[in-house]
Amino acid sequence: QVQPPESGGGLVQPGGSLRLACAASGSIFTINVMGWYRQAPGKERELVATSTPGSSTNYADSVKGRFTISRDNAKNTVYLQMTSLKPEDTAVYYCNAEVITIARMRGRYWGKGTLVTVSS
């Protein structure tokens, strides 16, 4: 079983910053794409950013220039540095990892989510 738990959410004022982290653990052989998604109240889950093992990145237009995704492959960890936060960034943020397990099974694993609230 693979667990990618998130950490770092919380309440922040508009214009502030937060850093999320996700450290995957379990029967991991290697991890391909790692990414962050978010789901705001009443909305569908959406892509925020993804990163390949070679650190090629992809961002949603709404966060370009404000959010930065990075990863530490040795630690199976992905980070999301969020700056210039806006109220519309309020959502539950989920980590996702495309994993090949020790048994050479491929799967996508989700964390349980961490709440980010941007409010004054």
Side-chain angles (χ1 to χ4, degrees), residues 24-69:
S25 63
S27 302
I28 298 171
F29 175 69
T30 190
I31 302 179
N32 291 327
V33 178
M34 297 188 81
W36 291 95
Y37 293 72
R38 67 185 181 186
Q39 187 166 17
K43 295 187 177 181
E44 295 185 353
R45 190 173 299 189
E46 63 177 3
L47 171 75
V48 176
T50 60
S51 175
T52 68
S55 295
S56 176
T57 58
N58 179 52
Y59 293 94
D61 287 343
S62 59
V63 307
K64 283 181 180 177
R66 300 188 299 122
F67 291 10
T68 302
I69 188 171

Side-chain angles (χ1 to χ4, degrees), residues 19 61 79:
R19 189 189 195 212
D61 287 343
Y79 304 95

